Each structure stands twice: as structure tokens, then as C-alpha cells.
């Protein structure tokens, strides 16, 4: 969102993160430092504090988002074939403008997202790789289950290896989620049984993302010069 106005700086990003309840200002700055360290973004040279220098998205980061958006849009196309033209833009120069439109559409649903956060998903969203771990467990379930989150096998070692976190981090995440009534452990810790509440929250969360994407794609397609001509 701030990138579209030409004001993508670490300082602005940290302020927006704090004001919208996404995360603390300090956490946002640490995130930007991480991106800079690995060359995922670059900062314009100049005097003053580095946090005020304009940031530019690098090709590695854009490449990651091309892969991610393609996967999401291919899934969304199962429900709505009208998003197909957006898939054709993923490898073109229109990808970044499209991403900005989609980000703006999802920003309109921020109140709904905050509600899901407060109701329990925040426990996973605020932890390093928390949502990735939850999605990994979701995909490990049998395909013929009756709800989105039901019961999944659990390998702490595998999750720690795949996502670069410690087993202690995973244990803490699962323990806190159990205390919050979101899941329980079975088979001596070898399986996770998800609550109906967490399953419903994740389903609504995903539906809200799809809705935001559909809205953003429709708005972008209607605003393209080719469409206006």
C-alpha cells in the first residue's frame, strides 16, 4: 500500500504496522533489516537515518511473490474462472501494479482480518512461521476429512527442519494454542486434533482472502488502459 504512493520506507512501514495492529514498530523494522540483509529489498543511498530511505523491491522478492500469487490464483480459479486473466499477468510487467491493487482490496477487509486475529489466528500469525506450520499440518491431513482442520500427524523435527525454527519454538506454539482451546495433542504428542473453532476461523480467513483477491482483480481489470479503450 505504501509502495504505491512512492513512500515505501522502513519508518512508514513500521508506523502503518503499529497503527493497523499488524505488529509492533520494532518488529516491522527487524523485518525490513532482514529483507535488506538478504538482498530482498534495497534502500536508496543518502544521508540521515536509514529508516527514512526509500525502499525498492528486489527481483528475488518479486520472484517469490510471483510463485506465491500464481499458486493462490490457480486455487481461486477453481471457484471463479474470471480470475484467469490475472494469471496471465504474473510473469509480466503488470505484476507489481496488480499486486498493489490486490493489496488495496485486502486492506479494505482489514477489520474482518483483525477479528480473525483476535479470535485465535493471531496466535499463529504473530509467531515466526506460525501460519506456515499451521498450513503444513493442514496439508498433512487425509483428503477425505469432514472439515478444513481435523486431525494431523505431527513431526516436530520435520517442521523445525523445514521452517528453520527450533523444536522449542514449535512446542511453545502448540502449547499456547492448546491453552487457548484451539487444538489438543494426541498419540503421545504424535498427532494434533484441531478444534472446530480453529477450523472455522481458518476457513473464514481463507474465504476473506479469496474475496479480497476477487475484488482487487475486478477493480484492476476495469482500470487497465486496454479495458478502458
Amino acid at each position: 500500500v505504501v509502495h504505491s504512493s512512492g513512500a515505501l520506507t522502513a519508518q512508514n512501514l513500521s508506523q502503518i504496522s503499529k497503527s493497523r495492529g499488524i505488529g509492533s514498530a520494532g518488529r516491522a523494522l527487524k523485518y525490513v533489516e532482514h529483507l535488506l540483509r538478504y538482498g530482498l529489498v534495497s534502500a536508496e543511498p543518502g544521508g540521515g537515518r536509514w529508516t527514512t530511505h526509500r525502499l525498492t523491491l528486489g527481483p528475488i522478492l518479486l520472484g517469490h511473490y510471483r510463485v506465491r500469487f500464481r499458486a493462490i490464483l490457480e486455487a481461486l480459479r477453481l471457484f471463479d474462472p474470471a480470475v484467469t486473466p490475472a494469471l496471465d499477468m504474473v510473469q509480466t510487467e503488470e505484476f507489481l501494479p496488480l499486486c498493489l491493487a490486490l493489496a488495496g482490496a485486502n486492506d479494505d477487509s482489514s477489520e474482518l482480518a483483525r477479528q480473525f486475529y483476535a479470535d485465535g489466528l493471531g496466535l499463529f500469525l504473530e509467531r515466526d512461521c506460525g501460519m506456515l506450520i499451521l498450513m503444513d499440518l493442514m496439508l498433512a491431513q487425509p483428503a477425505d476429512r469432514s472439515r478444513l482442520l481435523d486431525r494431523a500427524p505431527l513431526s516436530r523435527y520435520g517442521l523445525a527442519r523445514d521452517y528453520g525454527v527450533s523444536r522449542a519454538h514449535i512446542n511453545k506454539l502448540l502449547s499456547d494454542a492448546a491453552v487457548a482451546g484451539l487444538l489438543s495433542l494426541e498419540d503421545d504428542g504424535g498427532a494434533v486434533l484441531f478444534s472446530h473453532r480453529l477450523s472455522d476461523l481458518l476457513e473464514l480467513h481463507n474465504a476473506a482472502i479469496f474475496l479480497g483477491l476477487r475484488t482487487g482483480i475486478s477493480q484492476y481489470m476495469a482500470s487497465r488502459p486496454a479495458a478502458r479503450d
Side-chain angles (χ1 to χ4, degrees):
V1 175
V2 292
H3 188 279
S4 62
S5 66
L8 178 58
T9 67
Q11 179 175 285
N12 289 347
L13 188 61
S14 66
Q15 291 173 348
I16 289 174
S17 296
K18 181 179 179 180
S19 65
R20 298 186 181 178
I22 299 171
S24 68
R27 186 175 179 85
L29 291 178
K30 286 292 184 183
Y31 179 71
V32 175
E33 288 178 341
H34 177 85
L35 295 177
L36 288 166
R37 184 178 305 116
Y38 290 98
L40 301 178
V41 301
S42 59
E44 288 185 349
R49 288 180 53 82
W50 71 271
T51 56
T52 63
H53 297 181
R54 182 178 177 181
L55 302 173
T56 301
L57 306 183
I60 296 176
L61 185 61
L62 285 174
H64 164 76
Y65 276 104
R66 289 184 199 276
V67 173
R68 180 179 179 184
F69 270 95
R70 176 172 290 281
I72 293 173
L73 293 175
E74 286 178 346
L76 181 55
R77 184 168 57 174
L78 297 174
F79 302 96
D80 186 1
V83 306
T84 300
L87 266 170
D88 298 332
M89 300 177 193
V90 170
Q91 297 299 329
T92 72
E93 293 298 319
E94 281 195 88
F95 176 66
L96 185 54
L98 173 63
C99 281
L100 297 174
L102 298 183
N106 276 293
D107 185 58
D108 293 338
S109 304
S110 59
E111 186 60 39
L112 187 60
R114 280 194 289 269
Q115 185 61 51
F116 295 147
Y117 187 100
D119 287 345
L121 277 184
L123 193 148
F124 295 91
L125 288 163
E126 67 189 12
R127 308 294 176 93
D128 289 343
C129 298
M131 283 299 288
L132 291 175
I133 290 170
L134 182 59
M135 295 300 176
D136 194 295
L137 293 170
M138 179 187 73
L139 294 174
Q141 300 174 108
D144 60 351
R145 61 191 184 275
S146 60
R147 51 194 171 98
L148 185 61
L149 292 178
D150 190 359
R151 189 178 189 275
L154 171 64
S155 169
R156 293 171 176 80
Y157 172 79
L159 291 172
R161 177 199 60 212
D162 292 344
Y163 297 108
V165 297
S166 67
R167 279 177 282 182
H169 175 79
I170 293 172
N171 287 335
K172 175 64 172 171
L173 173 65
L174 296 173
S175 175
D176 289 348
V179 170
L182 300 175
L183 56 82
S184 59
L185 299 180
E186 295 187 334
D187 296 345
D188 294 325
V192 177
L193 179 65
F194 297 103
S195 69
H196 285 265
R197 172 186 161 206
L198 181 57
S199 181
D200 290 345
L201 276 173
L202 185 59
E203 188 169 345
L204 289 169
H205 175 264
N206 291 343
I209 290 175
F210 278 6
L211 178 60
L213 290 173
R214 288 181 62 190
T215 301
I217 290 170
S218 296
Q219 292 174 348
Y220 181 77
M221 297 302 293
S223 68
R224 292 176 73 206
R228 291 196 300 268
D229 295 342

